[in-house]
Amino acid sequence: MSGTFFTFLLFFSSSVPALAQAAAMPLLEETTPPQEHPPTVPVVIIGNGPSGISLSYLLSGYKPYLDPATVHPNPILYRKLQETKHLPITEQDLEYLSEGLEGRSRNPVAVLFDTLLHPNADFGYKFPSVLQWRRDKQQHIPHLVLGRGTPGGAWHAMEGSMLTISLGIWMELPGVNYKDLTNGKRRDLTSDRATPEEISSYYCNYVKLKGLQKNFVDNTYVTSIQKLCRGHDGEGGALWEVRGYQQVQNDTHAPFCLFAENVVLATGASDSPVRLGVEGEDLPFVFHSISDLGLAVSQRKLDRKSDPVLIVGAGLSAADAVLCACNSNIRVLHVFRKRVDDSDLIFKQLPKMLYPEYHKVYNMMCNVVGNASISLFPDYTSFPEHCVVSFQSDMKCLLQGNNALKAFKISMALVLIGTNPDLFFLKGQGQYLGQDPTRPISCKQNPIDIDPYTFECTKEPGLFAMGPLVGDNFVRFLKGGALGITSCLLKRLKKKGKLISNGGNNFI
């Protein structure tokens, strides 16, 4: 894998001193000059999670057609599909096809692609996909997918024993049935869901099965992306300079620089945990990842005799932490700002039969008499409509609620109130790309502003974004970004007469 990538290293030296110097640098020096004639890649994708993988699949010439053996249950959409059934969906009018469709994504193409892959899924039906995939090597768009680990992205770092919130079939990518790669394992009533370990394995196997490995460069860290003016070559426009380093043998950092005509941001949203911003949050017993709780449990640093663990948050990560602690007989203080009857709580949107463990946590959260949980859950205490005021060096935390301050001695604190993307490699951390350019990029509050049908950033031509960065936090919907971006790039390259016809990465 790295052999292919090293052809792109514009200032990589094979000498031992140069490698040693690179290994000592946490980030690439931005003053390092590129070589005179850098290679230009049509598309560089930053991020190798399900967003980057699904986009690589479509860019590699895999094209979706209406399967003539199927009928879509939406008669209006089906009539539209019939009008141009000889064309792949990527060459059709996505705005026309998306018109009138409703779903759980704010992006119309995401809703369109989802209803083609999983018709009427929100109504509990399991209709087969109406798409048929064919590969056309004449329409392969050369690209590179740069990821910090192996294909699968953040899924490799998630707690392996938890079950995904989405059904297994909703985690699958185009063209490969999820159950076919997981041997259709059955567990219990929740068997339609999957563990992160199963999902990450599926994504790795998907890349191999579809022959996408040549497009993926593992263990790659991007440190800078900036737009450059194109030279006077008659083509106009601009190029993107992408810099970073690849971690190779012996933890050596091999710096690289390459140019791209188009850059796709597919980095997800798990880079930077949201912080409370209170006094003492940097103390060594305050953590922002559920994996730290799992580590403390495995190392037997916590048990029933320990002071309770403070868990802050009312989302699924906080619920997972509550389950982990309770299953290990560790006492829990659970603090969250919302009321237990708040309609925005995620638990109210989950069917009880499919998500029994999360409804158990929700019941625990609701069982409050006065200021304490009832004895039905003696090792768990719920604090709705409370917030953390501070953490103290003597292992105490101060809570505010009901016009009263409360102090507790704790063994550790887990602040699990969400994550934000870290776009440090962009100008101004990419804030200017947001729907509100005065605020940092946030997947829920301030996603990147894009054209709804091409996923191109409205403020930066040639820069695209997909997945959580544009508000699609579920794998089920982020695949729509792959459809929109591929459709856009195919049409542009055809117009310029630059579509690759040899089916290979001719820039390697």
Side-chain angles (χ1 to χ4, degrees), residues 257-304:
C257 177
L258 57 90
F259 287 172
E261 295 178 359
N262 302 278
V263 171
V264 179
L265 303 175
T267 56
S270 59
D271 288 325
S272 178
V274 177
R275 297 171 61 87
L276 292 169
V278 300
E279 177 189 350
E281 193 169 2
D282 291 322
L283 288 169
F285 63 91
V286 181
F287 301 91
H288 297 80
S289 170
I290 188 175
S291 61
D292 292 299
L293 174 61
L295 183 63
V297 170
S298 65
Q299 295 178 345
R300 299 184 178 180
K301 293 181 179 180
L302 298 172
D303 57 32
R304 180 182 289 275

Side-chain angles (χ1 to χ4, degrees), residues 80-374:
K80 292 180 180 179
L81 294 168
Q82 287 284 332
E83 293 172 2
T84 48
K85 58 185 178 182
H86 62 288
L87 291 176
I89 304 299
T90 46
E91 295 181 22
Q92 297 188 34
D93 186 338
L94 300 184
E95 182 174 1
Y96 174 63
L97 293 178
S98 303
E99 185 181 16
L101 297 179
E102 296 181 354
R104 298 182 183 179
S105 170
R106 72 184 78 184
N107 296 313
V109 176
V111 176
L112 168 65
F113 205 27
D114 177 68
T115 194
L116 295 175
L117 291 167
H118 307 290
N120 283 8
D122 284 334
F123 298 104
Y125 296 108
K126 293 186 178 180
F127 291 124
S129 168
V130 298
L131 297 180
Q132 183 181 76
W133 292 91
R134 307 175 200 166
R135 191 173 192 187
D136 182 356
K137 293 186 178 181
Q138 301 299 312
Q139 299 210 353
H140 170 94
I141 300 178
H143 61 281
L144 283 180
V145 184
L146 309 182
R148 295 183 179 180
T150 54
W155 285 97
H156 293 295
M158 295 184 186
E159 182 66 32
S161 62
M162 301 295 179
L163 292 177
T164 60
I165 186 66
S166 296
L167 299 180
I169 59 170
W170 289 349
M171 308 298 290
E172 67 186 18
L173 302 182
V176 179
N177 189 300
Y178 165 76
K179 289 186 177 180
D180 288 346
L181 285 186
T182 55
N183 300 318
K185 294 178 181 177
R186 305 292 298 178
R187 282 180 291 271
D188 48 33
L189 288 175
T190 61
S191 62
D192 283 339
R193 293 161 64 196
T195 65
E197 181 181 7
E198 291 168 348
I199 294 299
S200 61
S201 175
Y202 165 79
Y203 292 145
C204 279
N205 290 331
Y206 180 95
V207 169
K208 297 173 184 175
L209 188 64
K210 289 300 177 182
L212 306 178
Q213 302 101 310
K214 63 183 178 182
N215 306 316
F216 283 73
V217 189
D218 302 342
N219 306 313
T220 306
Y221 297 77
V222 173
T223 59
S224 171
I225 298 176
Q226 55 182 327
K227 180 175 279 190
L228 304 175
C229 292
R230 193 192 292 269
H232 299 289
D233 55 5
E235 293 184 11
L239 287 177
W240 294 93
E241 180 193 73
V242 181
R243 290 180 176 239
Y245 64 89
Q246 184 183 32
Q247 190 168 339
V248 291
Q249 296 85 354
N250 302 320
D251 291 332
T252 298
H253 292 173
F256 70 88
C257 177
L258 57 90
F259 287 172
E261 295 178 359
N262 302 278
V263 171
V264 179
L265 303 175
T267 56
S270 59
D271 288 325
S272 178
V274 177
R275 297 171 61 87
L276 292 169
V278 300
E279 177 189 350
E281 193 169 2
D282 291 322
L283 288 169
F285 63 91
V286 181
F287 301 91
H288 297 80
S289 170
I290 188 175
S291 61
D292 292 299
L293 174 61
L295 183 63
V297 170
S298 65
Q299 295 178 345
R300 299 184 178 180
K301 293 181 179 180
L302 298 172
D303 57 32
R304 180 182 289 275
K305 297 179 181 179
S306 304
D307 288 320
V309 170
L310 178 75
I311 297 173
V312 184
L316 298 179
S317 294
D320 286 338
V322 170
L323 289 168
C324 178
C326 292
N327 291 338
S328 302
N329 296 316
I330 297 167
R331 290 184 293 159
V332 172
L333 306 179
H334 188 188
V335 178
F336 47 97
R337 290 178 176 269
K338 293 182 178 179
R339 304 187 316 273
V340 292
D341 60 351
D342 193 311
S343 59
D344 288 336
L345 283 174
I346 184 64
F347 310 101
K348 291 184 172 291
Q349 304 169 32
L350 304 177
K352 291 184 179 180
M353 285 290 289
L354 196 57
Y355 304 96
E357 79 278 29
Y358 288 129
H359 279 274
K360 175 185 175 182
V361 173
Y362 181 56
N363 288 335
M364 295 165 68
M365 293 166 62
C366 292
N367 284 320
V368 179
V369 177
N371 292 326
S373 301
I374 61 176

